[in-house]
């Protein structure tokens, strides 16, 4: 394996996929003309504009994406950090708000036009992570975050302007809407004729099986490596994205400020949510009606910045505020103004009943669970049969009619390894993927049952599922890459826990598993210790009533904005070209191959 | 120590590839080998007459870097190939293809199956279906292409049972696939491990357990086992000062007739006593692992028996995690057993540990093949050594000590060319075939050479 290369060796390596060509809207346009000759002498000022900030966050801990995260994505991610939050808070004063009897308004006399309105949305998994770290309840963790982002002892206690977040909402509110719309989407797809899943007449509906699309790691992977998956993806925005659209649309309209003056932070369990936030599909371009300013102005993201649970700790500590010392109580009403649009205020305050965040719903939002519950409710007497797959992250569900006929098949696939098997099942059949190679054709009669050691349903084609909930992380979103890890928690809590343990010691898989189990428990225990009247009330509502209520709210949102609902809640996906496997090595690029052989993984 | 084994050139495999060859995998039972070439093909040669039997083409778009035969197949041979095109190909061939009744390719009478506990795999007698056979126009049937890796596949390895296939790549990941053996060539991804910090150069399964070893550009060797229902790292061995290019396991005791290290100037009974003691010692730690590296060294690693692992840092008292869920501990401690005598001046690309004789062969960029033998250090020698060096080795009390001795060297085995791989195979060119072994070396110039050893 000598480094003496022949001409043929030049094509032997796959050109490195480090340069991302994903057209992400925030990237400075790359000047390609300087790249033609690596040896061209460049002057300092010529180099400057394409000097991208170095990637700072390694995503190796995000199991989903370490295989496909590219340098440009790493840049994007480093641009959305806790430092970015602090910089933005310091760069812009808060738009002063007036508190009027009928709600909140912008105090135009004091508005300097420089100001922004700061809003945040927080995912329930983040609260579970904080709750586990500090040994508090999930509800208290919610107060902790509110106190940090909006309270006087939190971010407002420092910084140039003493800024904080005016509204902090729970992404669960919008998840509720996503769940209902997901069930609608699945039933529409099932009703769109008994024609085979492959030839559906209605282009606007996803192909069966519909695959959940809330996990950005999964979307990123599918767009880059498996474009044949894209027609299967649910068109619904994720709760993060929908929260963004909701906040930007309603706040900009009700307060009369441009969406670019509303700065929306999302606190998520997942690094890849940063990638989602940078999608050009998720900006005001997708929903703003053709008003005059629309065409010339820059697109404004629905979510401006995403930080993870772990970065929330950094955010607190870099402002010198200790999360532990924050009061675990609801914010005083002066820091918790009502939402400016009364009718939609109820949307955000909508709380989930405890039954809907349980072991059965899973750790990732309960999309599959909701679909199953909806169909079960519509088919009285039906029974749900659960088949555990080859590992804990694969579960298959069959809804059986009272006569024992399957009504609906659905599954949960979490984790990269299981996604591989799902994707392979959905891959369009080809006679031969290889020129000159003949597949071994076996008569169907000779086909034997799978002998997999503990798997179920390996024989099923996968396309007979109506819905599959797919998440890139094993264990789902509570185990997101941005969650506080057991070693972070040790460090955060310090020696006061009475453990003479070296915090740097890597926890064993069992400790990690135990930690994750505690996070799950906190997640499932949401709202369990204090049940307000409102919750009790909502628990009494039947599934159908709740559905109707949410449809009603969505309709009023659409009417208020005068924007069709489909423009607000749906999104699209696109194939991302990858250079892997393509012949991009220029013929004169011997030096690059030598460099490859020498540097990238030591060559051969 | 003067070399005691002469390495003699027996034959070239002809015709050679016109391009670089990477690795030659001897078939587990049949007298044939598969050679991976930069020309995107796999060349199957006979070890009986050293000629090319067939060429597998059309599957890969780039260099074929690696190949491995699925064990325990009867009537049919299954080959996994890994390529720089980031894919893994699975190929099948009826052993009786094209030569019904001809013993040349079939199992010769002297051959025997490698003993195994797994009985399921042996019952896989699909080769008798005549309807299938009529459909097969090609000798090598392309069964399935496993894709998933992002970049060049560097190594593939079948587990001892043949149910699991491990693959590794420059994308720093290791994938474990289960061969569902469902007659439809379906494989499922069982695990994707991404802990390595660099290009993963090689994977190698434990000779009997479901334990995988991997070596990487990050200079580490890692060991992986299934824990509950996911695969995880159980050990990370740091010791090499450069890329770990290749790994091989010590044979299990049941394989071949090798009974352990040898010793000079001791009686036969004394030797067998030593060997018995040595074997019982080894039963505790299991087969050792052999590695070679860019740092020019060849090393042997031994697992610390579980009982003697220190419980200190891992005990439940220090972690605060309730002891109920605290298992016996999956982590394994691997320690350096030996650094073999230095025989290479340039990176060592491959090592092979003979399952039949216990001899170790190494080769690499310096074009040299080196042979090593493990010997007992007898008490007299030990005392001599201690007297010489005046060193007080407190551990040498009742622990059996061995040393590795360089017993043979072949310089410039392929002329000026670097040698990429070396493997042990059963000699098949003479009848009746005994248990004699040959070495098969594979080089940059496309040549594959077969060597015999004489003492």
């Amino acid at each position: 394996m000598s480094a003496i290369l022949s001409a043929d060796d030049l094509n032997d390596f796959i050109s490195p996929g480090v340069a991302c060509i994903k057209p992400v809207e925030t990237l400075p346009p790359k000047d390609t003309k300087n790249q033609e000759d690596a040896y061209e002498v460049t002057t300092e000022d010529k180099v400057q504009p394409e000097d991208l900030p170095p990637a700072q966050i390694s995503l190796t801990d995000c199991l989903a994406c370490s295989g496909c995260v590219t340098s440009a994505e790493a840049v994007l991610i480093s641009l959305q950090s806790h430092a970015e939050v602090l910089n933005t808070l310091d760069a812009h004063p808060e738009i002063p708000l007036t508190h009027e009897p009928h709600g909140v308004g912008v105090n135009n006399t004091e508005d300097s036009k420089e100001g922004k309105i700061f809003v945040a949305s927080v995912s329930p998994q983040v609260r579970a992570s904080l709750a586990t770290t500090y040994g508090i309840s999930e509800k208290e963790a919610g107060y902790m975050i509110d106190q940090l982002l909006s309270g006087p002892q939190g971010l407002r206690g420092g910084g140039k302007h003493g800024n904080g977040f005016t509204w902090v909402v729970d992404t669960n509110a919008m998840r509720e809407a996503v769940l209902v719309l997901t069930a609608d989407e699945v039933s529409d797809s099932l009703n769109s004729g008994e024609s085979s899943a492959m030839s559906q007449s209605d282009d606007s509906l996803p192909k069966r099986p519909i695959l959940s699309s809330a996990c950005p790691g999964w979307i990123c992977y599918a767009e880059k490596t498996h474009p044949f998956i894209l027609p299967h993806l649910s068109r619904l925005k994720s709760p993060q994205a929908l929260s963004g659209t909701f906040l930007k649309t309603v706040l900009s309209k009700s307060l009369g400020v441009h969406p670019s003056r509303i700065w929306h932070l999302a606190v998520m369990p997942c690094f890849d949510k940063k990638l989602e936030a940078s999608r050009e599909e998720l900006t005001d371009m997708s929903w703003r009606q053709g008003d005059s300013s629309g065409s010339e102005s820059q697109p404004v993201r629905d979510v401006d910045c995403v930080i993870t649970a772990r970065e929330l700790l950094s955010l607190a500590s870099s402002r010198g505020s200790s999360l532990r010392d924050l009061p675990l109580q609801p914010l005083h009403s002066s820091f918790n103004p009502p939402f400016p649009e009364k009718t939609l205020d109820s949307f955000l305050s909508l709380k989930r009943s405890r039954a809907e965040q349980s072991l059965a719903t899973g750790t990732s939002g309960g999309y599959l669970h909701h679909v199953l519950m909806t169909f079960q409710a519509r088919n009285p007497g039906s029974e749900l049969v659960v088949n555990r797959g080859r590992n804990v992250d694969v579960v298959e569900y069959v809804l059986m009619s009272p006569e024992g006929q399957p009504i609906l098949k659905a599954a949960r696939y979490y984790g990269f390894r299981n996604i591989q098997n799902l994707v392979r099942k959905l891959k369009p059949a080809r006679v031969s993927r290889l020129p000159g190679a003949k597949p071994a054709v076996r008569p169907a009669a000779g086909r034997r049952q799978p002998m997999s050691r503990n798997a179920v349903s390996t024989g099923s084609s996968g396309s007979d599922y109506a819905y599959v909930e797919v998440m890139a992380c094993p264990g789902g979103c509570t185990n997101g890459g941005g969650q506080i890890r057991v070693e972070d928690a040790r460090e955060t809590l310090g020696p006061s826990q009475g453990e003479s343990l070296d915090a740097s010691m890597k926890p064993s898989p069992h400790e990690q598993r135990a930690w994750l189990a505690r996070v799950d428990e906190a997640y499932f225990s949401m709202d369990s210790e204090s049940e307000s009247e409102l919750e009790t009330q909502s628990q009494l509502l039947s599934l159908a009533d709740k559905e109707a209520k949410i449809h009603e709210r969505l309709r009023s949102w659409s009417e208020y904005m005068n924007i069709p609902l489909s423009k607000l809640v749906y999104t699209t996906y696109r194939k991302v070209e990858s250079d892997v496997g393509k012949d991009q090595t220029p013929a004169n690029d011997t030096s690059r191959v030598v460099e490859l052989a020498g540097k990238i993984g030591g060559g051969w | 120590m003067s070399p005691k084994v002469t390495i003699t050139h027996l034959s070239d495999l002809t015709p050679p590839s016109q391009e670089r060859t990477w690795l030659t995998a001897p078939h587990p039972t049949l007298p044939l080998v598969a050679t991976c070439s930069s020309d995107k093909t796999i060349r199957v040669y006979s070890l009986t007459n050293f000629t090319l039997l067939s060429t597998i083409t059309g599957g890969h778009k780039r260099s074929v870097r690696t190949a491995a035969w699925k064990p325990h197949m009867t009537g049919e041979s299954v080959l996994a190939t890994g390529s720089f095109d980031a894919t893994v190909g699975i190929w099948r061939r009826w052993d009786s293809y094209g030569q019904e009744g001809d013993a040349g390719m079939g199992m010769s009478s002297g051959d025997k199956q490698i003993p195994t506990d797994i009985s399921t795999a042996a019952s896989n007698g699909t080769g008798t279906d005549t309807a299938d056979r009529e459909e097969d126009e090609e000798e090598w049937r392309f069964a399935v292409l496993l894709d998933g890796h992002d970049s060049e596949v560097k190594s593939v390895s079948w587990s001892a049972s043949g149910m699991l296939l491990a693959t590794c790549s420059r994308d720093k990941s290791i994938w474990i696939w289960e061969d569902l053996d469902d007659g439809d060539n379906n494989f499922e991804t069982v695990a994707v491990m991404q802990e390595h910090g660099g290009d993963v150069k090689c994977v190698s399964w434990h000779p009997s357990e479901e334990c995988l070893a991997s070596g990487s550009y990050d200079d580490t060797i890692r060991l992986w086992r299934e824990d509950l229902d996911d695969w995880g790292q159980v050990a990370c061995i740091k010791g090499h000062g450069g890329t770990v290019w290749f790994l091989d396991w010590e044979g299990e005791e049941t394989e071949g007739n090798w009974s352990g290290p040898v010793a000079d100037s001791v009686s036969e009974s004394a030797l067998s006593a030593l060997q018995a003691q040595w074997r019982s010692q080894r039963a505790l730690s299991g087969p050792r692992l052999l590695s070679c590296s860019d740092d020019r060294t060849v090393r042997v690693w031994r697992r610390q028996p579980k009982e003697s692992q220190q419980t200190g840092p891992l005990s439940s008292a220090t972690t605060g995690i309730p002891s109920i869920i605290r298992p016996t501990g999956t982590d394994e401690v691997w320690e350096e057993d030996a650094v073999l005598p230095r025989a290479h001046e340039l990176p060592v690309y491959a090592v092979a540990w003979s399952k039949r004789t216990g001899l170790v062969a190494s080769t690499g960029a310096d074009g040299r093949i080196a042979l090593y033998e493990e010997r007992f250090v007898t008490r007299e020698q030990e005392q001599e050594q201690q007297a010489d060096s005046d060193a007080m080795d407190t551990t040498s009390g009742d622990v059996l000590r061995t040393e590795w001795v360089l017993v043979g060297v072949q310089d410039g085995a392929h002329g000026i060319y670097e040698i990429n791989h070396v493997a042990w195979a059963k000699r098949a060119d003479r009848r009746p075939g005994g248990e004699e072994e040959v070495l098969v070396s594979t080089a940059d110039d496309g040549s594959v050479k077969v060597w015999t050893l004489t003492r």
Side-chain angles (χ1 to χ4, degrees), chain A residues 464-478:
Chain A
D464 56 348
Y465 294 135
Y467 184 77
V468 186
E469 183 177 292
V470 186
M471 300 288 160
C473 290
C477 297
T478 47

Side-chain angles (χ1 to χ4, degrees), chain A residues 155-167:
Chain A
L155 296 177
R156 289 188 192 278
K160 195 169 150 198
H161 303 292
N163 284 345
F165 287 80
T166 308
W167 289 287

Side-chain angles (χ1 to χ4, degrees), chain A residues 100-143:
Chain A
E100 292 155 30
H102 61 273
V104 181
V106 170
N107 185 339
N108 283 309
T109 52
E110 289 175 39
D111 183 9
S112 60
K113 305 293 174 203
E114 290 291 300
K116 282 187 191 284
I117 293 171
F118 297 99
V119 291
S121 45
V122 179
S123 100
Q125 288 89 359
V126 169
R127 292 195 298 272
S129 187
L130 277 186
T132 310
T133 304
Y134 291 99
I136 55 180
S137 74
E138 189 263 5
K139 183 169 239 155
E140 288 171 323
Y143 295 147

Side-chain angles (χ1 to χ4, degrees), chain A residues 92 102 127 153 179 188 223 315 365 380 404 441 455 461 476 483 583:
Chain A
H92 305 276
H102 61 273
R127 292 195 298 272
Q153 296 166 59
L179 292 181
D188 287 350
E223 287 188 327
L315 181 67
V441 182
S461 69
Q483 296 281 74
D583 231 353

Side-chain angles (χ1 to χ4, degrees), chain B residues 281-282 285 288 300-304 333-335 337:
Chain B
Q281 232 175 53
R282 210 199 58 181
S285 50
R288 292 169 290 172
V300 178
W301 309 90
R302 177 197 293 274
R303 190 183 69 192
Q304 221 179 66
V333 179
W334 284 74
E335 44 193 15
D337 194 49

Side-chain angles (χ1 to χ4, degrees), chain A residues 54-57 59 69-79 275:
Chain A
Q56 293 189 337
I57 296 177
L59 293 188
V69 162
T70 61
S71 57
E73 286 163 349
V75 171
L76 277 180
I77 284 165
S78 69
L79 285 174
L275 297 178

